[in-house]
Amino acid sequence: MNLEIDIEEPWPESTDWAELTERACAALAQVAPELANPRLVTSVLFTCDAEVHVLNREWREKDKPTNVLSFPMLERDQVLELEADGPPEMLGDIALAFETCAREAAEKGISVEDHASHLVVHGLLHLAGHDHEISDADAEAMEALETKALAQLGIADPYDD
């Protein structure tokens, strides 16, 4: 998959967020091989809560920020059936909100980098047509893929309470 990554303030420059995103994507491709398709293109925006709040209000009619937003451009069956040869296909867009991500990481006692990796994986799975809000079985399947991808990055299971 090809990634178009844009990093805005307030994401700290001390971390290479583009490399983090590429590593998360590569780990996920090992457990969700449909995302390893070289034709797929995904835009990832690291931005602030205020920007994600606007996007969430405009596109989801939720008047608050959230940690990650996903805007898929293909249906699940299109992702699964996409041939490896051909022109680029936009999988979708992901936006991560720094302040929410940092707060959640602190609440969980994990690094912002590990939480951001999880959110990238989570967002990519949404773009690929996975959804945790349809049923408990779908949620468990999505969480299992997230956990496997994160384990490849040395990140603990975020759902193990």
Side-chain angles (χ1 to χ4, degrees), residues 67-135:
N67 53 17
V68 63
L69 289 173
S70 303
F71 302 98
M73 296 185 187
L74 297 174
E75 296 294 326
R76 174 96 179 123
D77 60 334
Q78 292 175 298
V79 175
L80 292 172
E81 296 169 5
L82 189 65
E83 297 291 329
D85 293 326
E89 286 282 345
M90 192 67 182
L91 180 62
D93 303 310
I94 299 171
L96 286 83
F98 178 74
E99 296 90 343
T100 298
C101 182
R103 179 180 41 75
E104 290 174 349
E107 289 168 358
K108 295 173 184 275
I110 61 174
S111 70
V112 173
E113 291 82 1
D114 283 359
H115 193 44
S117 294
H118 177 207
L119 295 177
V120 167
V121 166
H122 185 86
L124 286 168
L125 284 171
H126 273 302
L127 293 184
H130 293 274
D131 198 332
H132 51 85
E133 296 179 358
I134 295 172
S135 71

Side-chain angles (χ1 to χ4, degrees), residues 2 8-9 20 23 26-28 55 57 62 77 83 98 121 140 149 151-153 159:
N2 295 295
E8 300 177 346
E9 291 184 7
L20 178 145
R23 289 182 63 236
L28 182 57
L55 292 169
R57 182 177 56 232
K62 296 187 179 195
D77 60 334
E83 297 291 329
F98 178 74
V121 166
E140 289 173 14
Q152 291 188 19
L153 299 169
Y159 301 106

